[in-house]
């Protein structure tokens, strides 16, 4: 194309990362894990199907490279004929085939069946599972460990009935017969009727365009062919026979003289060449139409290497299945490497086929035809690719200030020109035309809402994701802090009050330098596992395995104090009380509050969810108390749950909780009806990019809801955080799935986590993760970058009064945030609740001040709508208290007056108080020391009653 040669015989990986496992659904197939992929097949448009053998699933790689699970729920077994293929069990699937109608057939080896997934996604059995023989409906027949399947153009199905040493055929009328093999395990019969021949562990079948049948006769180390007359011959391999080891030999000669070693897959291209997965030789062999054999891929070494180079230089590991696409490119189930490899085979074909063309394919094409007698170049053929619009950059949500001029922008690819229609809340058309940017001038609160754009060209249209505009007023200072003078060793409080639209954060500064906001402290619990302390400071109280924290709109902190059987409350003054007592709390595993102050918690081992009203009454709202999974679509109180844990509420009072051992997230509507909103019940990782109810979770724990209604899930044993958007689509937003600690400063999706147990969100969309196994708290900013914000990775109790990243916790840690974004951590193992005031507070409390605290203070108040800085106030710290130096009731004064000298530091302000009982004091005057003693005169003094005096520094 455009004068550049296309690569020939180049090998690449199209699915898998070279490691065994199961992961990656919804993402790029090249980032997924598979567990011994065996058979492979392609449909007419180029979708790839993979028998993911030990994952007990069929995986599909769409033409855009995205992998999903197409059949199987990951549980080895047999279930579900007549149900959705993704919800049911298959057992060690080893072979796959696609017929002309796009139905998929599965050699369900462990179940001794052939299963079919129709175009409607429903799975059924089409052969096997019974005891009958030939001449009966295939569903009444016996199969033994069938390993391979193939379909001919007429719709007949061929089965490698491995354990019965035969090849079976299911005709379009559903009747099964034997077409090769006499049932005796061995090698015989070449040149005669195929049904009289002996086969030895046939594992794969394929058909050519003429209807001839090819068999991977594995333990005979041969490829056999049954022609259309039913005569069997060997077309590749000369033995030796099992149990002797196979060999590797014969390249460049007749295929019937070549040595094969455990051939496990066979395919035939459109020209009649045969491709063989020569498994134990770690190679792919090709038999051309002259009968000559060569090695097409693999250098014989058992490894994973060579992508991007010649296929013959690459390393394979136990290749099992082979298949060809419509362009005769070869796909290999590289079983031992957990991958599917592709070999481009353009060379030698007079027809060049491009599938799933895109703009990248546009250009000028020529072909150079070469023979031993020379070469010639064709005329130039131009390919123009027209494409519908594709959004490459979505509009993003933002906060707008009243009177501001926000802009939304979208970027698209495809064939122009494009038309853009912008909408607010999907109903009001705001603007149409050629503008990819929408400018909203001089906004008011009426302009808040969800914006989207429909982009149209001559070939189609596409609608963007929603982008929310939140409109508010910038912050202002309504009450300024005031100047103060304090005595060293005393406590000082500076206060500010803010106006505008919150949430607000407060950054106090001393002499222009920020004071730290990441200082961790304990706000409840003294570390003693007991119940004590109600009515006093929460830091002096005892907690007994607190397992849930939540905050109300006023900033009161609620704690599920598990083994105290209580819900406890810490008010904004730091005083702790019990607000409800129930034995159900002894089984608690999460806590959430609704808008009016009712508390909800999951009782894990009771398999129920409870509500505590504001008057302290407890009622069950979900769960029958029986272990299991049932009840969707009915009353939540009658449903079966299995170890519910994290719990959260949305703005409409819908309750979400992690039904942990059912591997699901369930929702209780305001009408009391329960439904599953994420998870298909399989303990696995799958489903990204598709409906959350079809996805697999693995022991999900914490849940959280953002303002847009998006659901976040701590997918604990998958070591990641999943997000279910308001439209029900699941994606991974943090965690690569690899267990470990890495990734800070980079994209959260590339980071390593260990068993995350809790998630929480602040008002601006930052995501906090209890990375329990590490143990740390991680933060994912709205830009998708992950950092550690608390925890040093050591388990224990330390760090109060210092930076949160230097502190240690005793896991697990459960998280909550207040309205301003200050973080509270349920440090369960230490029987404490700890806080990191990331957003700061309108009050700055300084304890035991020294001269180092003296200086000029300001506070920067920020919100999503801007920031403002307070007035500068000065704090003076003096080291000596004021004193009364001399006292003379009549010196130089009228008899009705009394006075004395005051001493103190220069610049120090002194207040003189008077009292007649040493209990009630009244300020009499305020003086500033200027360098000489200050004389105080009490003009209201009379001989009676007597008055006591004191001098002090004002607070």
């Amino acid at each position: 194309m455009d004068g550049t040669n296309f690569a020939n015989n180049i090998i690449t990986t199209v699915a898998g990362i070279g490691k065994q496992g199961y992961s990656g659904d919804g993402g790029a197939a090249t980032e997924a894990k598979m567990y011994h992929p065996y058979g492979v097949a392609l449909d007419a448009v180029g979708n790839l199907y993979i028998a993911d053998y030990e994952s007990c699933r069929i995986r599909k790689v769409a033409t855009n490279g995205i992998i999903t699970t197409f059949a199987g729920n990951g549980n080895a077994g047999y279930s579900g004929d007549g149900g959705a293929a993704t919800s049911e069990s298959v057992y060690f699937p080893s072979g796959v085939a696609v017929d002309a109608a796009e139905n998929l057939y599965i050699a369900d080896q462990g179940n001794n069946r052939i299963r079919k997934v129709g175009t409607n996604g429903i799975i059924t059995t089409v052969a096997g599972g019974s005891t009958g023989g030939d001449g009966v409906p295939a569903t009444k027949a016996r199969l033994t460990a069938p390993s391979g399947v193939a379909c001919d153009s007429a719709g007949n199905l061929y089965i490698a009935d491995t354990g019965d040493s035969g090849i079976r055929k299911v005709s379009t009328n559903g009747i099964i017969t034997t077409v090769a093999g006499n049932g005796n395990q061995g090698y015989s019969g070449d040149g005669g009727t195929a049904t009289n021949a002996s086969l030895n562990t046939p594992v794969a079948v394929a058909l050519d365009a003429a209807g001839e049948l090819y068999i991977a006769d594995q333990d005979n180390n041969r490829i056999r062919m049954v022609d259309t007359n039913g005569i069997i011959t060997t077309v590749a391999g000369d033995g030796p026979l099992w149990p002797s080891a196979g060999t590797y030999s014969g390249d460049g000669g007749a295929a019937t003289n070549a040595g094969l070693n455990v051939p496990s897959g066979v395919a035939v291209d459109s020209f009649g060449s045969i491709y063989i997965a020569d498994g134990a030789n770690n190679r792919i062999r090709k038999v051309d139409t002259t009968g000559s054999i060569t090695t097409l891929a693999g250098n014989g070494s058992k490894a994973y290497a060579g992508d991007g180079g010649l296929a013959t230089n690459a390393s394979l590991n136990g290749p099992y299945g082979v298949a060809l696409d419509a362009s005769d490119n070869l796909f290999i189930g590289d079983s031992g490497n957990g991958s599917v490899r592709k070999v481009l085979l353009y060379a030698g074909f007079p027809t060049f086929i491009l599938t799933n063309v895109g703009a990248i394919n546009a250009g000028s094409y020529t072909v150079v035809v070469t023979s031993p007698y020379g070469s010639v170049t064709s005329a130039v053929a131009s390919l123009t690719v027209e494409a519908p619009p594709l959004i490459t950059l979505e509009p993003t949500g933002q906060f707008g200030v009243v009177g501001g001029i926000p802009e939304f922008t979208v970027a698209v690819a495809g064939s122009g020109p494009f038309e853009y229609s912008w909408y607010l809340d999907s109903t009001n058309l705001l603007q149409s035309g050629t503008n990819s940017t929408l400018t909203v001038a001089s906004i008011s609160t009426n302009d808040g809402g969800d914006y989207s754009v429909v982009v149209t060209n001559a070939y189609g249209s596409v609608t963007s994701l929603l982008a929310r505009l939140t409109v508010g007023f910038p912050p202002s200072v309504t009450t300024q802090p005031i100047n103060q003078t304090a005595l060293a060793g005393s406590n000082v409080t500076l206060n500010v009050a803010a106006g505008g639209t919150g949430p607000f954060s407060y950054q106090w500064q001393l002499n222009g330098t920020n004071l730290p906001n990441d200082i961790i402290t304990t706000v409840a619990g003294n570390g003693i596992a007991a119940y004590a302390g109600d009515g006093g400071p929460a830091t002096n109280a005892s907690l007994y395995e607190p397992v849930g924290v939540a905050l109300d709109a006023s900033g009161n902190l609620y704690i599920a104090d598990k083994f105290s059987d209580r819900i406890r409350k810490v008010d904004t003054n730091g005083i702790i009380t019990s607000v409800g007592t129930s034995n159900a709390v002894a089984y608690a595993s999460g806590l959430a509050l609704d808008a009016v102050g009712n508390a909800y918690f999951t009782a894990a081992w009771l398999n129920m969810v409870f509500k505590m009203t504001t008057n302290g009454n407890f009622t069950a709202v979900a769960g029958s108390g029986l272990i299991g999974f049932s009840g969707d679509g009915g009353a939540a109180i009658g449903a079966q749950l299995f170890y519910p844990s994290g719990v959260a509420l949305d703005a409409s009072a819908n309750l979400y909780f992690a039904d942990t051992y059912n591997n699901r997230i369930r929702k209780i509507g305001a009408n009391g009806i329960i439904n599953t909103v994420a998870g298909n019940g399989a303990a696995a990782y799958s489903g990204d990019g598709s409906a959350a109810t079809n996805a697999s979770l693995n022991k999900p724990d914490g849940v959280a809801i953002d303002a847009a209604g998006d659901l976040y899930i701590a997918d604990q044993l998958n070591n990641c955080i999943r997000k279910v958007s308001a439209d029900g689509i699941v994606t991974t937003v943090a965690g690569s799935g690899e267990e470990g600690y890495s990734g800070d400063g980079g994209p959260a999706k590339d980071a390593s986590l260990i068993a995350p147990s809790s998630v929480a969100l602040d008002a601006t969309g930052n995501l906090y993760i209890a990375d329990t196994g590490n143990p740390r708290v991680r933060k994912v900013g709205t830009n998708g970058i992950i950092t550690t914000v608390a925890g040093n990775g050591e388990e224990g109790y330390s760090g109060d009064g210092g930076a949160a990243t230097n502190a240690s916790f005793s896991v697990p840690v459960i998280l909550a945030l207040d309205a301003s974004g200050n973080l509270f951590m349920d440090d369960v193992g230490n029987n404490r609740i700890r806080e990191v005031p990331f957003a700061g507070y309108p009050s700055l409390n300084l304890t035991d001040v020294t001269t180092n605290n003296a200086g000029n203070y300001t506070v920067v108040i920020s919100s999503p709508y801007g920031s403002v800085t307070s007035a500068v106030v000065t704090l003076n710290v003096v080291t000596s208290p004021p004193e009364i130096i001399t006292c003379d009731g009549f010196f130089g004064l009228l008899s009705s007056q009394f006075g004395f000298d005051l001493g103190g530091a220069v610049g120090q302000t002194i207040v003189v108080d008077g009292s007649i009982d040493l209990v009630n004091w009244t300020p009499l005057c305020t003086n500033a020391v200027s360098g000489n003693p200050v004389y105080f005169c009490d003009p209201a003094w009379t001989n009676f009653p007597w008055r006591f005096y004191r001098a002090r520094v004002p607070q």
Side-chain angles (χ1 to χ4, degrees):
M1 183 180 77
D2 296 332
T4 301
N5 288 338
F6 284 101
N8 295 321
N9 302 325
I10 300 300
I11 193 168
T12 57
T13 295
V14 293
I17 60 173
K19 297 178 180 179
Q20 304 289 354
Y22 172 69
S23 69
D25 274 2
T30 49
E31 297 178 2
K33 285 184 180 180
M34 295 177 290
Y35 205 165
H36 286 122
Y38 277 10
V40 288
L42 294 109
D43 64 19
V45 297
N47 297 303
L48 171 66
Y49 298 85
I50 306 163
D52 197 354
Y53 185 76
E54 291 194 40
S55 289
C56 295
R57 294 173 171 89
I58 305 301
R59 314 288 287 278
K60 175 183 176 181
V61 180
T63 53
N64 61 2
I66 301 300
I67 192 170
T68 55
T69 291
F70 189 77
N73 58 20
N75 298 320
Y78 173 70
S79 69
D81 274 355
T86 50
S87 299
E88 311 309 338
S89 299
V90 295
Y91 194 175
F92 292 161
S94 58
V96 284
V98 183
D99 68 13
E102 304 298 319
N103 300 299
L104 177 75
Y105 295 84
I106 307 166
D108 195 358
Q109 187 180 79
N111 283 321
N112 298 308
R113 288 171 166 86
I114 305 301
R115 314 280 289 278
K116 171 185 170 182
V117 181
T119 54
N120 58 1
I122 302 300
I123 191 169
T124 55
T125 293
V126 295
S130 191
T131 58
D134 284 345
V136 301
T139 52
K140 302 295 184 182
R142 185 193 78 174
L143 300 175
T144 305
S147 300
V149 283
C151 299
D152 67 16
S153 58
N156 300 300
L157 176 68
Y158 295 81
I159 306 164
D161 191 3
T162 306
D164 291 323
S165 299
I167 306 300
R168 315 286 287 278
K169 174 183 176 182
V170 181
S171 299
T172 53
N173 62 4
I175 302 301
I176 192 168
T177 55
T178 295
V179 295
N182 58 17
N184 298 319
Q185 191 173 26
Y187 173 68
S188 69
D190 274 2
T193 303
T195 51
N196 293 331
S198 296
L199 307 176
N200 196 347
T201 317
V203 294
V205 286
L207 293 119
D208 66 15
E212 293 171 325
L213 177 70
Y214 295 80
I215 306 164
D217 196 358
Q218 186 177 81
D219 286 348
N220 281 326
N221 292 305
R222 286 170 164 81
I223 303 299
R224 316 279 290 274
M225 182 189 83
V226 181
D227 66 19
T228 54
N229 296 315
I231 303 302
I232 191 168
T233 55
T234 294
V235 294
D238 65 351
L241 309 182
W242 183 89
S244 300
T247 61
Y248 171 68
S249 65
D251 274 2
T256 51
N257 295 330
L260 305 177
N261 196 351
V262 192
S264 54
V266 62
V268 185
D269 69 19
S270 57
F271 300 98
S273 296
I274 306 165
Y275 298 82
I276 306 163
D278 196 359
N281 281 325
N282 299 303
R283 292 174 166 93
I284 305 300
R285 314 287 287 276
K286 175 183 177 181
V287 181
D288 65 22
T289 54
T290 68
S292 178
I293 194 169
T294 54
T295 293
L296 180 75
N299 58 17
S301 63
K302 188 176 182 179
Y304 177 65
D307 275 0
L310 287 174
T312 49
N313 293 335
S315 298
L316 306 175
N317 187 352
Y320 190 93
V322 283
L324 296 126
D325 66 12
S327 301
D328 282 329
N329 297 301
L330 180 70
F331 293 77
I332 306 162
D334 193 4
S335 171
N337 283 324
S339 301
V340 175
R341 317 283 286 276
K342 176 182 178 181
V343 181
L344 295 172
L345 296 177
Y346 297 125
F349 299 134
T351 301
F352 180 59
I353 301 173
L354 293 171
T355 58
N356 193 34
V357 294
I360 193 172
N361 301 115
S364 299
Y365 288 78
T366 57
V367 59
V368 179
V369 183
T370 304
S371 77
Y373 308 101
S375 63
V376 64
T377 302
S378 72
V380 175
S382 295
L383 174 64
T384 301
V385 179
E386 304 289 0
L390 173 68
I391 293 178
T392 58
L393 178 66
E394 297 279 358
T396 57
Q398 52 192 291
F399 294 90
V401 177
V402 170
I405 309 175
E407 290 186 342
F408 294 95
T409 299
V410 67
V412 296
S415 302
F418 301 107
E419 289 286 331
Y420 302 86
S421 294
W422 290 90
Y423 292 83
L424 169 59
D425 292 331
S426 300
T427 55
N428 298 322
L429 179 63
L430 298 181
Q431 175 180 325
S432 295
T434 59
N435 293 327
S436 60
T437 297
L438 170 68
T439 302
V440 187
S442 189
I443 59 173
S444 70
T445 53
N446 293 330
D447 294 306
D450 291 323
Y451 287 75
S452 62
V453 59
V454 178
V455 186
T456 306
N457 69 3
Y459 308 99
S461 64
V462 63
T463 302
S464 73
L465 298 177
L466 299 177
R468 175 160 293 182
L469 174 63
T470 306
V471 182
F473 294 90
S476 61
V477 179
T478 58
T479 302
Q480 297 282 359
I482 59 174
N483 296 319
Q484 296 191 41
T485 300
L487 181 65
S490 65
N491 298 331
V492 173
T493 299
L494 300 173
N495 293 295
V496 70
T501 305
F504 301 110
S505 64
Y506 303 85
Q507 179 59 67
W508 288 90
Q509 299 175 332
L510 172 58
N511 297 326
T513 300
N514 288 343
L515 297 175
N517 273 354
D518 63 346
I519 301 302
I520 190 170
T521 57
T522 294
V523 293
N526 57 17
I528 299 171
Y531 164 67
D534 274 1
T539 50
N540 295 338
S542 296
L543 306 176
Y544 202 167
E545 197 167 316
V547 291
V549 285
L551 292 111
D552 65 17
S554 300
N556 299 301
L557 174 69
Y558 290 77
I559 306 165
D561 196 5
K562 184 173 182 177
F563 292 130
S564 293
D565 297 342
R566 286 170 167 81
I567 304 295
R568 303 176 78 177
K569 173 184 173 182
V570 180
D571 66 20
T572 54
N573 295 316
I575 302 303
I576 191 170
T577 55
S578 293
V579 292
T581 303
S582 170
N583 291 336
V585 182
Y587 302 92
S589 188
L591 185 67
L593 297 172
D594 66 17
V596 297
N598 298 306
Y600 296 80
F601 64 92
T602 52
W605 289 118
L606 291 179
N607 300 298
M608 300 178 77
V609 181
F610 287 87
K611 172 184 178 181
M612 185 196 76
T613 60
T614 53
N615 59 8
N617 292 326
F618 290 78
T619 57
V621 295
S624 65
L626 299 176
I627 290 176
F629 172 72
S630 70
D632 275 1
I637 196 64
Q640 288 180 299
L641 318 177
F642 195 0
Y643 200 91
S645 52
V647 62
L649 290 119
D650 67 15
S652 301
N654 299 301
L655 180 70
Y656 299 77
F657 67 92
D659 196 355
T660 300
Y661 287 1
N662 279 324
N663 300 299
R664 291 173 165 92
I665 306 300
R666 303 179 78 177
K667 170 186 172 182
I668 306 170
N671 58 1
I673 302 300
I674 191 170
N675 283 291
T676 295
V677 294
N680 59 18
Y685 174 76
S686 71
D688 274 5
S690 60
T693 50
N694 293 333
S696 297
L697 309 173
N698 199 345
K699 303 300 181 291
D701 198 344
V703 289
I705 310 270
D706 68 14
D710 299 322
L711 171 68
Y712 294 79
I713 305 165
D715 196 356
Q716 188 174 202
L717 296 191
N718 281 326
N719 301 302
C720 65
I721 307 301
R722 314 286 288 275
K723 173 184 173 182
V724 181
S725 57
D727 59 3
I729 302 301
V730 68
T731 54
T732 296
V733 295
S736 65
E738 296 288 335
E739 186 175 280
Y741 172 67
S742 69
D744 276 2
K749 289 179 65 175
D750 296 337
S752 296
L753 311 173
I754 302 179
S757 62
S758 179
V759 282
L761 294 126
D762 66 19
T764 58
N766 298 301
L767 173 69
Y768 293 82
I769 304 166
D771 193 2
T772 303
N774 271 315
R776 292 174 167 93
V777 178
R778 317 280 290 273
K779 174 184 173 183
V780 181
T782 54
N783 59 0
I785 301 302
I786 193 169
T787 55
T788 294
V789 295
N792 60 11
E794 298 177 0
E795 187 171 353
Y797 174 70
S798 69
D800 273 6
T805 50
N806 293 332
S808 56
F809 317 123
S810 183
V811 294
V813 175
I814 300 170
L815 307 179
L817 290 119
D818 66 14
S820 296
N822 299 301
L823 178 69
F824 292 80
M825 297 176 288
D826 189 345
D827 195 353
V828 180
N830 285 319
N831 295 297
R832 290 174 165 94
I833 309 299
R834 304 171 79 179
E835 179 192 6
V836 184
F838 289 126
Y841 286 105
S843 295
L844 175 65
N845 297 311
L846 303 173
T847 58
D848 195 21
V849 296
T850 69
T851 54
N852 292 331
N853 298 112
N856 296 321
Y857 285 79
T858 55
V859 58
V860 179
I861 304 171
S862 300
S863 77
Y865 310 99
S867 62
V868 64
T869 302
S870 72
V872 178
V873 295
T874 301
L875 172 64
N876 294 310
V877 178
V878 296
T879 57
S880 58
E883 57 181 339
I884 297 175
I885 300 174
T886 61
C887 178
D888 187 346
F890 301 98
F891 177 73
L893 298 174
L894 299 174
S895 61
S896 62
Q897 293 181 323
F898 178 76
F900 49 81
D901 288 329
L902 297 168
V906 175
Q908 184 178 38
T909 299
I910 302 173
V911 175
V912 177
D913 297 325
S915 173
I916 61 174
D917 56 8
L918 293 176
V919 174
N920 300 296
W921 293 89
T922 301
L924 301 178
C925 74
T926 300
N927 291 296
V929 178
S930 60
N932 296 310
V934 176
Y935 186 74
F936 166 77
C937 176
D938 185 355
W941 183 87
T942 59
N943 290 332
F944 298 99
W946 298 101
R947 198 197 302 267
F948 299 95
Y949 297 89
R950 71 179 182 188
R952 62 180 174 86
V953 174
Q955 296 296 312

